[in-house]
Amino acid sequence: IWADTLAGDMPINLGLTLYRALTGFTLAAGPGILLGILVTRLAPVRWLFDPIISVGFPMPKIAFIPVIVLWFGFHDLSKISIVVFDAIFPVVTATIAGTEGVDRHLLWSARNLGASEKGLLWEIVLPAAMPQILTGLQVALPIALIVAIIAEMNLGGLGLGGGMITAFRFADSPGVF
């Protein structure tokens, strides 16, 4: 690690992997939370997305790398896209679980006191669901890092995954580790 750091390879590879993973994680977090809230609040959105979430969550999404490469090529866009595609599911499911788990008595009481739907969402639903949402984000972050490395291993180029494959091709066991 020290030799790769002095040579300049490690900072570049680590920086690119973190860039791809954190960009994908960020792009998955916002829309994932929004989609999870919409699924619990609007019946047509639930009708549309519930089957997709139910089928897509347990599926190994890394298997879609060939399709994403066909659509976006071998560059950063495809690597970030697969990270988003893989990291969004834990965020959505945790948000759905958190918002559905809000105590109905709180919602009923707030509605009887005249709370608007917007106020209900911001002042009761989101604070009550926040622990579950943060758990979904906590699960999605390591998934984003793992998928970024796997995408780099499969698609080539720079990054920790690409560096590992390069070291593997030259039978450099310490470099792989």
Side-chain angles (χ1 to χ4, degrees):
I1 292 173
W2 185 249
D4 284 346
T5 302
L6 290 177
D9 295 338
M10 182 60 79
I12 291 170
N13 288 336
L14 183 62
L16 282 171
T17 299
L18 286 175
Y19 159 71
R20 293 172 184 140
L22 293 177
T23 302
F25 171 75
T26 303
L27 291 174
I33 293 170
L34 179 64
L35 181 60
I37 291 170
L38 290 175
V39 163
T40 58
R41 309 287 284 173
L42 301 172
V45 176
R46 184 177 199 93
W47 177 84
L48 179 65
F49 284 103
D50 194 41
I52 296 169
I53 294 167
S54 297
V55 171
F57 185 69
M59 184 175 32
K61 287 149 297 282
I62 204 77
F64 285 94
I65 284 181
V67 174
I68 289 177
V69 167
L70 283 174
W71 290 346
F72 302 120
F74 285 95
H75 304 291
D76 278 352
L77 182 60
S78 60
K79 295 170 188 171
I80 293 170
S81 296
I82 194 67
V83 170
V84 171
F85 185 53
D86 219 320
I88 199 167
F89 282 94
V91 177
V92 171
T93 55
T95 303
I96 290 170
T99 53
E100 285 181 342
V102 175
D103 187 10
R104 299 294 171 214
H105 293 98
L106 287 174
L107 298 173
W108 179 77
S109 297
R111 281 192 182 109
N112 281 339
L113 291 172
S116 66
E117 286 299 312
K118 182 181 175 184
L120 196 70
L121 177 67
W122 283 105
E123 295 189 26
I124 298 198
V125 174
L126 278 178
M130 194 55 68
Q132 195 79 8
I133 293 170
L134 291 175
T135 300
L137 293 172
Q138 189 176 9
V139 170
L141 184 59
I143 288 173
L145 289 168
I146 291 166
V147 170
I149 291 171
I150 291 172
E152 291 167 353
M153 291 171 94
N154 284 317
L155 301 180
L158 295 175
L160 292 178
M164 290 170 64
I165 291 299
T166 301
F168 167 75
R169 288 183 180 144
F170 289 104
D172 178 15
S173 295
V176 172
F177 283 105

